[in-house]
Amino acid sequence: NPVICEENSYCGFFEFKESKGNVIGNYTSDGVMWIGYFYFKDGFIVYSGDTDRIEVTTFSYHLKIKYWKKIYEKYLDYTVLDLLASYADRDYAFFFIINRHPRTNECAHPCLYYIEFNTGSLGKICDIKPHSLIGATIFQNRIYVATP
C-alpha cells in the first residue's frame, strides 16, 4: 500500500506477517505505481515501480535481503517506463516493459527483463517486434502482446 514517506512524497510499504497475522517485518520502497511480489522455494521478491524505474528486492524467508536490482533503460527521448506484465515461474521473475514518449505517448523499445531468483542475475531481451504495443499479459508461460 502507498504511504506518505516524506512531505508530499509517496512510497510503497510492504508488511510481512507470520501465519497468525502478527507483523514480523516491513520494507519501504520508492515506487507506488506498480507493487507486487512473487514467492520462490527459498524466499520471495517484492517489486515496486514508477514511471522511471522498477525496483526489485529479494528476501530469504528469514527476511534477510539477498540482493536489490533496479530496472530502467532510457531509450532515446522515450523516458516514461510502463510495466505491461509481470510473471514468475519456479526460477525467474519476468517484467515486460516499454518506454513511452512523455509528450506524444508513443511507445518504443519493448523489453522483457528476467531475474534469476537464486543468483540475482539480470537479463533482458529487447528485440521484440512490433514497436507499437498497447498491452501485454503473461499466461501459461507465454507472453501475449496486443498491437493496434
Side-chain angles (χ1 to χ4, degrees), residues 73-75 97-99 107-111 113 124 126 128 131:
E73 183 172 322
K74 183 178 176 183
Y75 178 73
I97 65 167
I98 195 161
N99 291 89
C107 299
H109 200 61
C111 292
Y113 285 85
K124 67 179 178 176
C126 290
I128 303 166
H131 286 287

Side-chain angles (χ1 to χ4, degrees), residues 47-103:
Y47 67 91
S48 63
D50 234 313
T51 57
D52 62 348
R53 82 224 170 278
I54 296 172
E55 295 179 10
V56 179
T57 307
T58 302
F59 293 86
S60 71
Y61 282 120
H62 300 293
L63 302 183
K64 302 277 190 237
I65 294 178
K66 293 176 68 169
Y67 55 81
W68 176 86
K69 298 287 181 178
K70 180 179 176 181
I71 298 173
Y72 175 72
E73 183 172 322
K74 183 178 176 183
Y75 178 73
L76 303 174
D77 57 350
Y78 292 75
T79 57
V80 177
L81 186 70
D82 197 2
L83 177 64
L84 299 179
S86 60
Y87 174 77
D89 66 12
R90 197 179 74 182
D91 300 312
Y92 292 89
F94 300 92
F95 302 93
F96 190 58
I97 65 167
I98 195 161
N99 291 89
R100 291 188 189 275
H101 195 278
R103 289 188 308 280

